[in-house]
Amino acid sequence: MTIDLLKQRPTLCATGPAGSRLALLAILAFAIVLQSVPVSAAVDPAVAKAEADRVTVVEKASSATVAIFAPGGQGGGSGVVISADGYALSNYHVTSACGKAMKCGMSNGELYDAVIVGIDPTGDVALIKLLGRDDFPFAEMADSDQVRVGDGCFTIGNPFLLATDFKPTVAFGVVSGVHRYQYPDGTLLEYADCIQADAAINPGNSGGPMFDAQGRVIGINGRGSFEKRGRVNVGVGYAISINQIKNFLGHLKSGRVVDHATLGARLSSDQNRRPIVDEILDDVDVFRRGLEYGDEIISFAGRPITTVNAFKNVLGIFPKGWRVPLVYRRDDQVHEIYVRLRGVHREAELIARAAGGAKPPEGRPKREPKPGEPKQPKPGQPKPNDPPPDGPEKPPMPLPGGPAKEESPLPEIVKKHFVERPGYINYFFNQLNQDRVWKAFTARGDYSPLAGNWTVQGELLAGGDFQIELSDQASMISLPGGRAMVGMAGDLADSLDPPGSGGLLVTLGLWRRMLAGGPTKFGDVYYLGTAPLVGREGLFDVLMATHNSVESQLYFDPASGQLVAWEMFADTELDPCELFLSDYREVEGRMFPFHVEVRYGDGVYQVLQINKYAFAKPQPAEGS
Amino acid sequence: MERVKLKSMLEQNVRSCRMCHARVTTAFVLVVIALIVYSGPSSAAQAQSPLTNAIGAVQPKMVKLYGAGGISGLEAYQSAFLISADGHILTVWSYVLDTDYLTAVLGDGRKYEAKLVGADPRLELAVLKIEETDLPHFKLAESPPAAKGSRVLAFSNLFNVATGDEPASVQHGILSVKTQLDARRGVFETPYRGPVYVLDAVTNNPGAAGGALTNYRGELVGMLGKELRNSLNNTWLNYAIPIDQLTGIVDDIQAGKVTAQAVKAKSQRRRVNVAQYGIVLVPDVLERTPPFIEQVRTGSAADKAGLKPDDLVVFVGPQVVKSSRSLLDELAHAQDGAPVKLVVMRGQELVEVSLDAPEVELLEPEAREDAERE
C-alpha cells in the first residue's frame, strides 16, 4: 500500500499546483535523514516482506474475484470463483437482476459468459458457472469457524460498479464480530451466523468475497448497516460465512431453488436467559424424537447454545432436510437426539417467491419475543439494518417456466449449459449431477440385466435366518417370527409391513426397482444435493426418487460411488424406513451390500447379515 | 534494498517536484510515519494473536445499555464500559439515560438495572452503577495518552448488532489528529468543548456513543462520542473524547461530590437568554433575522456596557453572528459567570463591548426543552 502510494507520487507532482519552498525543504530534510540512518531503521526487512506477501495475496485473491454485470447493464455486483471449472459464488440479490445469464469480468481484463446454476434466496446466495475455460483462477475456501474478532480481512469486489476495466477494488479491515445474526426481510435474505467486518462493503460489493489475511475466502459480502448517511459503508458490513455456504454448495449445484431449515419448535429465553422450548409443532421430526415444551436446549449441531440468537444462528446455516444432533436438558437429564430439519417454505411457495411472485400475507416475526429482554426499537422507525446494498427490490428473477419475459437471446455457450424445466433454476446442472452420481454407482457393474426376481438370504444379527424375495409384483420376507408380503403395485404408503419396520418390504422393493431399472424408469428422480448421514463423516450425494406415492432419499458415498443409505418416506408426517448398506462385495460382477441395518424411528429394527444373493432370469413380460 | 528504493524515489521526487504542493509533502510524511508505525509486528499473521488477546481482554469490560428512545429515529440503546470492580459504568450523557428503567447488559450476557450516579452534560458523560462486585473494568487513571497517527480500536454496540452475551463490535482505525472541538461552534451541535481524538474510521454510528477507544494493546484511550454532523457540509465527524478529559469529573462523581441533580441544575443554568442581559431584540420573523437590538433595559448589563437600540450584533467572542437565532445560541454557550465580548455595528462604526454575565434563574425543564427546540 505504502509503496504504491510512493509510486504514484511523480504523477501527483506533475499535476500539482505551484507549491512552496517549504515542501521542497521538507523533502530534502527527509532525504538527508534517510540517507544518514542505517538500513534497518529505514524499512525493517520483515516489514518489506510482509508488504510483499500482502501484495501477492491481494493479487492472487483479485484474480479469482469477478465483476458481475447483468445483461443490458441493468445492475450487477461481485462474485468469486471457487473452482477451476468456473463455479462462482455471488448473492441471490445480485444474480436475480441478471436472470439466466450474466457477464463476468475478471482482473485479467477478460469478460466471460456465465450461467445461473442454483439459488438460495433465504440465505441470499447464488451459484453461477463461468464458461469457456477449465483453468479459471480460483480462491480457496477457509474454515470460517476459525475466524476471530480482530483478524485482518479484506474485501475485493466491484463497489459502485466501478470496475469497468474489471480490475476489482480492494479494502482492508478487521473482523468486528463473528456469529452475528441479521434479521431476514420476511423469510428471505436472512444473514445467520454471519461475519461482521469494518472493511468497506458498498453497493456493488454484494456477492463478492471477504478474504482472510492469507487470501482464503471466509465469506460472501452482501449486507451492511446503514442509516442516515445514505447507502455507503459506515464500517459495518456483513458477509455470509463460507462454512454456511459449504453446507449449501451441493444443493446449489442441483440447479434448484434451495430452502433453509426450521426445527418446528420455537425457543424463548427464560428468566435465567436459558433457551427454552416455548412452542413445538406435533407433526415434526423433533417432536417425534421426544423434544417437549419446556426443555432446555444445550447444544445444536455440535455448537453450545446459550441464547436464542445463538440457536437461530446455527439453524440458519443448514439446508432443509439435514439431520443434525440436538442436546437438551429435562429434569437434570441430558438427552441427545438427531433431528431431521424441515423446510422454511413449501416448495411451490419458495419457487414463487424466488420468482418475485405475490408476497405472502406475512413473514416470520421480525424478532421472536423474549420475555424480559431490553426494549427493542419499535416498528415504524427506520430499520437499523437495511436490506443488502444493491437491494432485493431489484427486478425479480425470471425463473424458467415463469411468466415469459422478453430477454436478450442467450449466448451460444450459455445455451449449451442451460435447460429450462418448471421448478428448476437450471435443470442442466441437475441432470449433470444425476448422471454423475449414477455413473459412479454403476461404474463397478451394470445392474440392468437383473430384471428378474431377487432372492436374498442371511442371518439376523439378533439371531435366526431370514429370506427375502423381491419381484416387480411383490416383496416378501421370511423372519423367525413369520412371513410378510406387500404388493408393489398398490398404494405403497399403505403397505408398511413388517410392523415396526416403517416399510422395509416397500423399501427393498424400491431398491431393486432402482437398481434393475435405473433412475429413468424408476419414476421422478432428481439430484437433491449433499447431506450428512448420522454416524458418518462428510457429506453424501443425495438423489430424491419418487415412485408411486412414496419418496425416497438415496445417499451415495462421493468417494466410492456406493449407495450407502436409503430412506423411504411413506408420508411426510411419519418417520422413514432407513436402510444403511455396507460391506459391499462383488456378486456376479456387480457390487452388493452384505450388511444392511434397518432403522425406524429411534431404534434399529433389524440388522441383516446377508450371505447369499440369487438373481433369476428376467421373465418375458406377460400379455405384452 | 528498501532504503535504496526509497532513496531513489526521493531523488526522483526532488527532481520532479519543483512545483510540488505542500499537501503532497504531507502525504509523504504520513507515509513515512506509517512505515515507522508498521515496523512493529513483522507480519499480519504474527500480529493477529496479540491483537486477538487485547480484544479478548477488552470485551468483558464493555456494556450494552438499553433505555429511553425507540421513537422517531432515536435508538433506545447505546454503549458503555465498566470503570470499577463494583459496577461503575461510564457512558455518554444522552436521552437514552433519561428513564427510570435503564438496563445494562454485560459481555457475558448478565443483565442489570442501572442507576444514574452522576453526569456532566457539558462533557457529555454519565456514570451509572449496577449492583455487582468483582467486575473486569478499565482503570481510568492508567489510561495512556494516544499519539496522532497511532492505531486504535473502537469497541461499541453500534446498530445494536450484538445482544445478550454477544460481544461488542470492533473496528480499527488511525487516530488522525487530536484537536479542539469548540473551534467549530455553530457547525457541530454538541455542548462538548474540548480536545477530541478525530478518527479515520466510521466509528460514531447509531448506538456507538459511550463505546471504548483503545490502543492496539487494549488500553483505554478515549470514549466514543455521539454522532456528530457538520451542519455546513453534512459530513460526519468520528471522534472520541480523551480519557484525561473525563477522569477528574468521573472521580468526583464516584466520590459522591457530584450528584445527578446538581449536574442537571448546572446544565439548566447554562441556558441564558438575551433578556437576562437586558437586551430586547427585534422580533425574530425571518429565516435569518438580523440581530438588531430594539431596546436596552435601564440598569441592565447591556445598559452598563453601553449598548444602544439599533445596534446590530455582529460578533459574540470570535464567532460571527448572522441571525437572531445564532446570537441566542452563542450567548447560550457563553461560559458561566464570565463576561461576554460583543462587537456591534452602530451606524458605520464597529463598537466592542464587554457584557457582564447576568445572574440567571433556573429554567424549568419544560422551558429548557422548548428553548432547545428553537
Side-chain angles (χ1 to χ4, degrees), chain B residues 12-32:
Chain B
Q12 205 179 347
N13 282 324
V14 174
R15 278 198 299 276
S16 62
C17 282
R18 297 272 145 72
M19 307 291 274
C20 213
H21 191 267
R23 200 169 36 184
V24 180
T25 317
T26 316
F28 177 70
V29 170
L30 283 176
V31 165
V32 173

Side-chain angles (χ1 to χ4, degrees), chain A residues 148-151, chain B residues 47-60 153 155 216-218:
Chain A
R148 296 287 173 264
V149 174
D151 284 357
Chain B
Q48 258 172 38
S49 174
L51 188 57
T52 311
N53 291 344
I55 290 169
V58 170
Q59 293 285 20
L153 296 170
F155 295 77
Y216 264 38
R217 289 183 297 281

Side-chain angles (χ1 to χ4, degrees), chain A residues 69-72 74 98-103 113-115 131 398 405-416 418 420:
Chain A
F69 299 95
Q74 73 275 27
C98 302
K100 302 164 186 170
M102 56 231 53
K103 302 280 185 193
D113 278 304
V115 67
L131 305 170
K405 281 194 179 171
E406 48 84 35
E407 272 180 16
S408 45
L410 292 179
E412 278 308 312
I413 192 163
V414 172
K415 275 187 196 165
K416 286 183 197 151
F418 187 82
E420 202 155 316

